[in-house]
Amino acid sequence: GQQLNQSPQSMFIQEGEDVSMNCTSSSIFNTWLWYKQDPGEGPVLLIALYKAGELTSNGRLTAQFGITRKDSFLNISASIPSDVGIYFCAGQRTGTASKLTFGTGTRLQVTL
Amino acid sequence: NAGVTQTPKFQVLKTGQSMTLQCAQDMNHNSMYWYRQDPGMGLRLIYYSASEGTTDKGEVPNGYNVSRLNKREFSLRLESAAPSQTSVYFCASSEVVGETQYFGPGTRLLVL
C-alpha cells in the first residue's frame, strides 16, 4: 500500500531552534493531518487541514496544506525539550471512508 | 474519561499461539480501527469498524480477525501468530468514519 514520503527522517536540533518537516504524495488528498507520538504512547493529533492552501497554527506549530494537494508542511518555532517525539503526517481522501495514509515519520531530538 | 484503552500493554507469543488484543473507548464513538506500526513505517490499517455490527478490511488484514463486540469494544485476534506479526498495535476511534481519529497507547507484541 501507499506510504507518504516524509522528510527528514530524523532531526537533531538545539533548544530554541525552528523546525521544518514535510510530507509528499504522488496522489491528491482532501485532508492532511499531523500527529505527534511520544515514546510508548499512541499518536496525538496536532493539526488538521481541510483546504488546499490552508495555513493553520496551534501554538508554536504551524502547518500548511499544499496548493497541489499532494504535500503538506509542519513548522515548529522555538523548539523546547518536550517537542521530542516522532511526527507523522497523514492524508485522507474523500470517499475512502476511514482510510488514513500515514507518512513514515520524522523523529525529532532536541538538545539543551 | 479514559479515551481509548488497550490491553495488554506488552505480550510475548510463540509462533503458532493465538491471542486477542482488546480495545475499548468511552467517547461514544461509532467507528473504531486497528493499526500496526513497524520500524521505519507509518501506521498501516489492519481492519476497521464503521459502526457497531460492521467490520471491513484495511490495508494489511491477512492473519488477523476482528470482532466489534459492542459500541465500546473492538478486538483484534491473531489465530496463529507469526514472527512477521511482531509489531506495535494501535487501536483508534472516531465519532464517525472520516472524522478525527483518537489513538490508544498501543500493545507491543513480540512473536518468537
Side-chain angles (χ1 to χ4, degrees):
Chain A
Q2 180 188 12
Q3 296 266 291
L4 300 178
N5 297 313
Q6 196 170 338
S7 66
Q9 284 189 334
S10 63
M11 304 179 73
F12 290 83
I13 62 169
Q14 288 196 323
E15 184 177 7
E17 288 185 352
D18 296 342
V19 174
S20 292
M21 59 190 78
N22 67 76
C23 201
T24 59
S25 170
S26 58
S27 52
I28 289 173
F29 288 100
N30 299 103
T31 301
W32 282 95
L33 306 167
W34 284 92
Y35 285 85
K36 183 192 176 199
Q37 185 177 20
D38 291 327
E41 301 291 332
V44 174
L45 183 67
L46 298 174
I47 293 180
L49 302 159
Y50 301 104
K51 191 176 174 182
E54 181 181 352
L55 187 72
T56 297
S57 293
N58 178 7
R60 293 178 297 105
L61 277 62
T62 301
Q64 183 161 26
F65 193 139
I67 291 291
T68 65
R69 292 201 272 165
K70 292 183 179 181
D71 56 9
S72 181
F73 307 88
L74 177 69
N75 296 313
I76 305 172
S77 62
S79 58
I80 59 178
S82 62
D83 290 334
V84 166
I86 304 177
Y87 292 79
F88 290 99
C89 62
Q92 188 170 38
R93 295 187 190 86
T94 302
T96 58
S98 64
K99 191 174 187 305
L100 287 179
T101 301
F102 279 85
T104 49
T106 294
R107 184 181 296 273
L108 180 63
Q109 301 272 32
V110 179
T111 57
L112 299 174
Chain B
N1 193 349
V4 180
T5 57
Q6 292 183 236
T7 56
K9 289 189 175 181
F10 305 95
Q11 184 71 47
V12 179
L13 292 177
K14 294 181 179 178
T15 296
Q17 286 186 318
S18 62
M19 80 158 294
T20 300
L21 281 64
Q22 306 287 353
C23 174
Q25 51 90 12
D26 62 3
M27 296 176 281
N28 202 35
H29 285 169
N30 290 291
S31 304
M32 298 184 74
Y33 316 80
W34 276 105
Y35 291 87
R36 60 177 289 171
Q37 183 178 35
D38 300 299
M41 302 187 75
L43 283 77
R44 293 181 293 169
L45 184 66
I46 304 171
Y47 271 93
Y48 70 99
S49 170
S51 60
E52 189 178 352
T54 69
T55 60
D56 285 286
K57 294 179 181 179
E59 185 182 352
V60 288
N62 291 344
Y64 305 95
N65 285 300
V66 291
S67 295
R68 184 72 184 268
L69 304 170
N70 48 56
K71 191 172 185 179
R72 288 188 65 247
E73 299 172 287
F74 188 37
S75 63
L76 178 73
R77 182 160 178 83
L78 287 71
E79 290 290 352
S80 179
S84 61
Q85 293 178 305
T86 292
S87 189
V88 183
Y89 291 86
F90 288 99
C91 177
S93 72
S94 64
E95 190 164 340
V96 293
V97 160
E99 295 293 320
T100 300
Q101 295 183 24
Y102 296 87
F103 286 82
T107 293
R108 281 147 188 80
L109 177 66
L110 172 63
V111 183
L112 301 174

